[in-house]
Amino acid sequence: MQSLSNRAKILEKKPMTLAERAYLPAIFQGLSITLRHFFTKKATIRYPEETRPFSPVFRGLHVLKRDEQGRERCTACGLCAVACPAEAITMVAGERKKGEQNLYREEKYAVSYEINMLRCIFCGLCEEACPKAAVYLQADKMAPPRFERDEFIYGKDRLVEPVSPDTRSKRGIQLTAEQADKLRTQLA
Amino acid sequence: MTFETLGWQGLVILVIFGLSLLIATYCTYAERVIAAFMQDRVGPDRAGPYGLAQPLADAVKMFTKEEFFPGGASKALFTFGPCLAMTTALMSSAVIPFGNAVQFGSTVVHLQGIEINVGMLYVFGIVSLGVYGVMIGGWASNNKFSLLGAIRAASQNISYELAMGLALIAVLMISGTLSLREITLQQASDAPFVWRDIFNWNIMKQPLGFIIFLVCAFAETNRTPFDLPECETELVGGYHTEYSSMKLGLYLFSEYINIFVVSAVMSVLYFGGFNFPFQYEFRDWLASSRGLELITAQNIITVLGAVGLFAKIFAFIFFFMWVRWTLPRFRYDQLMRLGWTILIPLAIFNILLTGGLITTGIIK
Ligand code: SF4
Ligand code: SF4
């Protein structure tokens, strides 16, 4: 029959030669192949001791950025949550009180902000949607494996970019004692 | 036999027993590492340094798993199967000469569990008993897959034992004895010619016989490419489908012990056992230039010989695993055809050939 694609190969079933029927040459050939692989470099990456090199545009774990003065940029507008195709982001908005200007950049801020890393598909649409340049996907970090599902819901404590006390003072932020406490519990 | 030599012999038996268990334990580890390496992976490396505690972790796992008895199974036989498999596997290493004699004072200790003049026959008897463990286990499981696996094991072992025995007969024609120790000693040589040592090994006189024996050894130990009794693609787990916990462990363990024993038997029969090249030159050199007593020098040779034998055994064990991760499984009819129409005629031809060569005086 004429084949339509003309790419068919005609196979002949030749009777096996004596060497083929004796199995042993073929077995030695196979053995040499496996032995070669025995000594080749292994492909395994011993995670977590070793990690794969990331691409510079890798989309990993989220971070909520602070501005130059150490204030949270997020204004809880919810655009990221709307943009998120996986519905991984939830937040509760709150109004900034007097005297919290050094903590939050805008008058409205996110009291809680959670990303469920099990739902997230790391598409980066939240990053694109954000008008305040607040949420980013880091190129060098991933959500590490955990045993419990709850532990994959990242709240502000794990998302907001940490500020070390000394950088804070250098940037001229003055915290009241209770604000410092609040921040510390958030960051803990 | 005095009480003292009896004590020493008991110690040797205990050591061999322990060694068999230890080697079988680490075979499970080696199997995984070798498999991984051949597939460009690294294998178990989490438990302890290089994963060396992996067998311990396995043992803990095996012991803590649920003891499961399938419904309608005969409990007594179901338990008896793995015990029998394990016992027979452990028994066969008793007659293997792991080394020559060690002598201190007037005590001579042979590094061998028991020396009997029908050692080879004993090994064969015990090995063929081993299949009962598999058969009883498969039968008692009350599961069609187990039963099929057991039947396969039985017919495979019977078929290949024939060819194996015939290959062995050619060796016996050369050695004229069934004692494994005698066979080993005959393969030693004190002729000065450099290569004489290795040329005196039976492999040089019996290359065809060795290949037949090797192929049959794979079939006898149920290793790939002849692991039809536990062929996962067709029979779930074969004869141990229904087994769990340490009973399964015993089956797997007995398989590794069998590999160890078969490797030891092949090293002894064909590769000179505890002999190694230049042993007599080395002994004389120790005695003359190092000023050691002849007995001490001989003891050193004995220990080195035992180490050498274990090196040979490990090489064979590696070969078993190497083949396992290279070859696919045979089909059952291919297995039977290979056994009955190729190996057995070849073995008979080998006997005739050996007989001819002996009568013409080419080999002795
Ligand atoms: S990366 Fe994509 S899926 Fe993940 S939170 Fe952002 S928008 Fe949602
Ligand atoms: S992260 Fe950006 S987009 Fe999301 S709520 Fe905050 S400001 Fe709006």
Side-chain angles (χ1 to χ4, degrees):
Chain A
M1 202 180 76
Q2 180 69 39
S3 92
L4 289 176
S5 63
N6 274 331
R7 273 181 297 183
K9 268 192 194 155
I10 310 294
L11 286 183
E12 281 174 71
K13 199 177 172 195
K14 288 193 216 105
M16 287 202 284
T17 60
L18 183 68
E20 281 169 339
R21 265 184 296 148
Y23 294 120
L24 290 180
I27 287 177
F28 283 122
Q29 200 187 352
L31 287 177
S32 73
I33 291 173
T34 38
L35 195 65
R36 204 161 53 236
H37 280 275
F38 191 85
F39 293 110
T40 49
K41 201 171 164 294
K42 306 299 166 232
T44 308
I45 293 172
R46 286 184 164 86
Y47 186 81
E49 292 95 62
E50 278 171 48
T51 43
R52 207 180 274 277
F54 287 128
S55 142
V57 291
F58 181 79
R59 296 191 296 263
L61 194 67
H62 306 68
V63 63
L64 280 176
K65 286 290 202 185
R66 293 175 185 276
D67 69 359
E68 315 73 50
Q69 286 146 42
R71 302 175 297 186
E72 288 175 20
R73 302 187 74 113
C74 175
T75 182
C77 65
L79 285 179
C80 51
V82 172
C84 178
E87 300 192 358
I89 305 179
T90 49
M91 74 193 71
V92 175
E95 209 172 322
R96 182 178 72 186
K97 305 254 165 41
K98 240 201 165 74
E100 287 182 337
Q101 284 92 332
N102 50 355
L103 287 180
Y104 311 111
R105 203 163 94 126
E106 315 287 339
E107 284 150 28
K108 194 170 148 230
Y109 73 100
V111 178
S112 87
Y113 186 104
E114 286 178 343
I115 302 183
N116 185 339
M117 294 300 166
L118 290 177
R119 298 198 66 137
C120 176
I121 56 173
F122 300 96
C123 59
L125 288 184
C126 47
E127 180 180 313
E128 274 181 47
C130 182
K132 297 289 175 190
V135 64
Y136 281 98
L137 276 70
Q138 299 163 93
D140 56 350
K141 247 186 229 160
M142 286 194 284
R146 308 246 175 214
F147 287 109
E148 302 294 333
R149 280 167 183 242
D150 313 351
E151 295 172 8
F152 282 100
I153 298 174
Y154 276 55
K156 273 181 88 175
D157 50 338
R158 284 186 286 175
L159 286 173
V160 180
E161 192 180 26
V163 184
S164 64
D166 33 306
T167 52
R168 215 184 303 138
S169 60
K170 247 183 253 153
R171 283 166 179 172
I173 314 170
Q174 290 307 313
L175 297 181
T176 61
E178 65 202 63
Q179 282 173 344
D181 276 348
K182 193 176 159 196
L183 194 65
R184 223 168 278 131
T185 46
Q186 263 187 12
L187 294 177
Chain B
M1 198 178 261
T2 66
F3 190 69
E4 199 193 341
T5 46
L6 210 61
W8 279 111
Q9 227 51 46
L11 186 71
V12 170
I13 289 179
L14 271 184
V15 168
I16 291 175
F17 175 75
L19 266 181
S20 315
L21 286 180
L22 188 74
I23 289 174
T25 315
Y26 273 91
C27 274
T28 61
Y29 169 77
E31 175 102 83
R32 274 173 277 180
V33 170
I34 289 172
F37 270 50
M38 290 188 171
Q39 296 164 353
D40 293 347
R41 301 182 284 117
V42 292
D45 69 341
R46 295 287 120 168
Y50 300 103
L52 278 174
Q54 189 65 39
L56 285 181
D58 285 335
V60 170
K61 186 197 90 170
M62 288 283 189
F63 274 114
T64 49
K65 278 212 163 177
E66 185 195 350
E67 286 264 5
F68 175 75
F69 286 97
S74 148
K75 259 195 185 177
L77 284 183
F78 191 74
T79 321
F80 183 56
C83 300
L84 186 65
M86 190 71 185
T87 320
T88 50
L90 278 171
M91 272 164 75
S92 39
S93 60
V95 294
I96 290 164
F98 286 102
N100 211 335
V102 183
Q103 189 179 356
F104 36 92
S106 60
T107 334
V108 179
V109 180
H110 291 273
L111 299 185
Q112 183 180 15
I114 29 166
E115 160 65 8
I116 45 176
N117 56 8
V118 288
M120 204 48 239
L121 211 58
Y122 171 86
V123 172
F124 260 63
I126 297 291
V127 165
S128 53
L129 269 184
V131 74
Y132 283 100
V134 172
M135 269 177 72
I136 290 175
W139 169 258
S141 296
N142 192 25
N143 174 323
K144 58 188 167 198
F145 295 118
S146 305
L147 185 60
L148 278 174
I151 291 171
R152 280 184 177 190
S155 54
Q156 168 178 329
N157 281 28
I158 290 168
S159 314
Y160 278 76
E161 227 155 67
L162 282 179
M164 202 179 197
L166 289 175
L168 185 69
I169 283 180
V171 175
L172 300 184
M173 282 163 71
I174 295 176
S175 63
T177 171
L178 277 165
S179 152
L180 285 170
R181 191 178 148 73
E182 277 297 306
I183 293 177
T184 311
L185 289 177
Q186 281 175 9
Q187 293 179 66
S189 153
D190 42 8
F193 177 46
V194 173
W195 280 101
R196 188 59 207 272
D197 284 317
I198 286 182
F199 271 118
N200 218 23
W201 290 359
N202 279 338
I203 174 77
M204 291 297 164
K205 305 168 186 170
Q206 285 292 323
L208 181 60
F210 171 67
I211 290 176
I212 297 170
F213 197 95
L214 186 67
V215 174
C216 295
F218 274 91
E220 287 287 307
T221 49
N222 299 336
R223 293 288 295 187
T224 330
F226 306 119
D227 61 343
L228 276 304
E230 47 197 282
C231 161
E232 302 89 358
T233 38
E234 298 159 22
L235 297 182
V236 192
Y239 62 88
H240 54 54
T241 304
E242 294 287 1
Y243 279 90
S244 64
S245 160
M246 205 53 206
K247 292 209 284 303
L248 174 68
L250 286 185
Y251 267 131
L252 302 183
F253 229 68
S254 67
E255 250 173 54
Y256 284 106
I257 297 178
N258 277 332
I259 292 172
F260 167 64
V261 169
V262 151
S263 303
V265 168
M266 283 195 290
S267 314
V268 168
L269 283 183
Y270 291 99
F271 283 84
F274 51 71
N275 296 304
F276 58 95
F278 306 118
Q279 50 182 348
Y280 294 112
E281 285 84 348
F282 189 54
R283 183 190 61 190
D284 294 340
W285 177 79
L286 280 179
S288 60
S289 341
R290 295 264 129 189
L292 294 178
E293 276 178 63
L294 198 60
I295 292 178
T296 324
Q298 179 61 42
N299 285 348
I300 291 176
I301 294 296
T302 303
V303 171
L304 283 181
V307 172
L309 177 61
F310 274 100
K312 291 169 196 172
I313 293 174
F314 290 149
F316 270 117
I317 292 178
F318 175 78
F319 183 70
F320 269 94
M321 294 175 179
W322 182 12
V323 167
R324 166 156 185 196
W325 298 105
T326 302
L327 296 185
R329 190 178 288 129
F330 270 57
R331 221 168 50 214
Y332 201 67
D333 60 318
Q334 291 171 331
L335 170 94
M336 280 298 159
R337 179 148 17 97
L338 179 69
W340 286 96
T341 68
I342 299 174
L343 289 182
I344 292 181
L346 260 185
I348 292 174
F349 169 72
N350 186 42
I351 291 176
L352 294 178
L353 188 71
T354 312
L357 290 179
I358 289 177
T359 42
T360 51
I362 294 177
I363 52 177
K364 25 182 188 331

